[in-house]
């Protein structure tokens, strides 16, 4: 059985902000989940959801129909695939690895080729929708790689997301995700500028946001992060450091393909300014503090 509703065994590696919610939704959908993270406490906290703790990558992987990875950056995924005791040495029984992190498309293609040599399919399937989308099983999932492997993975994707799209060959899921991140960063910058302008004019910011959400300036960022920006709540969410990682990947891709991205360059500078002021572990909405400083309009 491998239709969209059939249940399987998933090894889940990376139980962080996103991975925790995604693993829980896989379990809620009836899949058997075995979870591994270098932070054992993150895995143990999943016991109430019927998720088993794995002691190692091999323990999570060998009996699984598929392994899902949700890790911070390219070297972390490479370590889980290539490292001592990693997936190349201990591939899943179902011969399917699905990386849902945001990482470099070139690294995806290399890992895909290495795993293909031992008969294991590798999908790059990054996500959009943030921790709220992850919690609500409402992620947008953009997958690159073999079409038959994508169909095998669909039953797992449908437990975590609502928009599930095969976008092309290996690495193209990440290419689409980088386009997504470019829009998110520049959109957040536009919101910062609008809030700074409105604040200086003495406009009530919650009311400004409400009006904007009812018109053509509405966006996910304004909807989900706007209230935190206005209240000065910098808790993460999606960390400034992770967005800087994504903007670095965007810049690499742009350089390799000769595409000028002036607006992305500018917003990257502002994210770097945020990190230089100690905001790296804060949520993306803390970009507004760059505007607080530039405008001298910081809230009392
Ligand atoms: P996170 O840092 O909260 O979680 C990553 C987890 O991986 C941590 O629990 C960490 O301990 C674990 N880990 C690191 N190296 C490991 C290893 N070698 N073996 C096992 N576990 C290891 O990150 P996150 O916010 O969940 O993001 C994960 C990925 O998803 C990133 O690539 C990020 O860019 C992307 N993403 C994040 C969001 C978001 O809103 N947070 C949204 C979309 C995509």
């Amino acid at each position: 059985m491998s239709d969209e509703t059939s249940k399987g065994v998933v090894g889940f590696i990376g139980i962080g902000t996103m991975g925790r919610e995604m693993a829980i939704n896989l379990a809620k959908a009836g899949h058997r989940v075995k979870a591994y993270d270098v932070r054992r406490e993150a895995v143990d906290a999943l016991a109430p959801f019927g998720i088993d703790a794995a002691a190692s990558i091999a323990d999570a992987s060998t009996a699984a129909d598929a392994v899902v990875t949700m890790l911070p950056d390219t070297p972390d995924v490479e370590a889980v695939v290539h490292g001592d005791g990693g997936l190349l040495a201990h591939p899943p029984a179902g011969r399917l690895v699905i990386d849902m992190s945001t990482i470099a498309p070139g690294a995806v293609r290399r890992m895909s080729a290495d795993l293909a040599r031992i008969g294991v399919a590798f999908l790059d399937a990054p996500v959009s929708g943030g921790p709220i989308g992850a919690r609500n099983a409402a992620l947008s999932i953009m997958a690159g790689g073999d079409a038959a492997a994508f169909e095998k993975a669909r039953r797992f994707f449908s437990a975590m997301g609502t928009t599930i799209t095969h976008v092309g060959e290996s690495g193209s899921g990440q290419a689409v995700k980088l386009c997504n991140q470019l829009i998110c960063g520049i959109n957040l910058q536009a919101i910062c500028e609008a809030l700074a302008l409105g604040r200086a004019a003495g406009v009530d910011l919650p009311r400004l946001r409400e009006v904007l959400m009812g018109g053509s300036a509405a966006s996910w960022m304004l909807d989900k992060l706007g209230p935190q920006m206005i209240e000065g709540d910098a808790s993460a969410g999606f960390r400034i450091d992770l967005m800087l990682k994504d903007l670095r990947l965007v810049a690499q891709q742009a350089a390799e393909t000769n595409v000028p991205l002036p607006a992305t360059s500018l917003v990257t500078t502002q994210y770097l300014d945020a990190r230089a002021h100690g905001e790296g572990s804060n949520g993306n909405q803390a970009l507004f503090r760059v505007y607080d400083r530039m405008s001298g309009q910081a809230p009392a």
Side-chain angles (χ1 to χ4, degrees):
M1 272 212 315
S2 64
D3 64 274
E4 205 166 322
T5 54
S6 73
K7 308 305 172 200
V9 180
V10 181
F12 204 108
I13 301 176
I15 306 299
T17 307
M18 297 291 287
R20 174 187 156 83
E21 308 298 338
M22 293 158 73
I24 290 171
N25 282 328
L26 281 163
K28 280 185 181 164
H31 301 293
R32 222 191 107 210
V33 180
K34 206 156 189 197
Y36 175 73
D37 194 290
V38 286
R39 294 180 307 117
R40 177 65 194 224
E41 68 278 10
V43 174
D44 289 342
L46 294 181
F49 301 94
I51 293 175
D52 296 328
S56 63
I57 294 169
D59 189 20
S61 170
T62 40
D65 294 304
V67 165
V68 174
T69 51
M70 193 57 173
L71 299 161
D73 201 349
T74 308
D76 306 307
V77 181
E78 287 175 330
V80 164
V81 171
H82 286 283
D84 276 352
L87 295 173
L88 267 174
H90 304 282
R95 318 308 284 178
L96 177 60
V97 174
I98 308 165
D99 177 47
M100 304 188 77
S101 331
T102 306
I103 65 167
V108 165
R109 287 188 287 270
R110 285 192 296 278
M111 286 187 280
S112 178
D114 291 340
L115 284 162
R117 274 191 276 281
I118 59 164
V120 175
F122 183 84
L123 294 173
D124 52 305
V127 304
S128 182
I132 301 166
R135 192 169 312 126
N136 296 335
L139 292 169
S140 180
I141 301 173
M142 48 215 97
D146 178 67
F150 173 77
E151 290 308 325
K152 272 174 74 181
R154 198 185 271 282
R155 58 180 167 154
F156 304 125
F157 290 149
S158 63
M160 298 182 276
T162 42
T163 303
I164 299 159
T165 312
H166 184 230
V167 291
E169 61 191 17
S170 181
S172 56
Q174 296 297 349
V176 171
K177 172 68 179 176
L178 296 184
C179 298
N180 183 86
Q181 293 310 84
L182 173 164
I183 294 170
C184 290
I186 296 171
N187 183 237
L188 193 64
Q189 181 195 38
I191 294 164
C192 289
E193 297 207 354
L195 293 184
L197 189 66
R199 181 172 60 191
V203 175
D204 177 68
L205 293 188
R207 224 170 289 173
L208 171 64
R209 176 184 161 276
E210 196 183 316
V211 171
L212 295 177
M213 278 307 298
S216 53
S219 72
W220 188 98
M221 286 284 167
L222 182 62
D223 184 29
K224 303 292 193 290
L225 298 188
Q228 288 177 292
M229 293 165 86
I230 293 166
E231 287 156 21
D233 171 6
S235 59
F238 182 50
R239 298 194 298 279
I240 292 270
D241 278 340
L242 285 178
M243 182 54 124
L244 272 166
K245 176 259 303 178
D246 293 350
L247 291 169
R248 170 173 49 79
L249 297 174
V250 171
Q252 280 165 1
Q253 176 93 342
E256 284 166 17
T257 51
N258 296 309
V259 179
L261 299 176
T264 307
S265 302
L266 178 58
V267 77
T268 302
T269 305
Q270 294 180 334
Y271 271 96
L272 286 168
D273 181 277
R275 178 152 74 190
H277 284 86
E279 308 272 11
S281 302
N282 286 334
N284 268 235
Q285 69 278 9
L287 192 70
F288 193 33
R289 295 188 184 173
V290 174
Y291 283 80
D292 288 347
R293 285 191 294 275
M294 287 196 300
S295 63
Q297 291 267 338

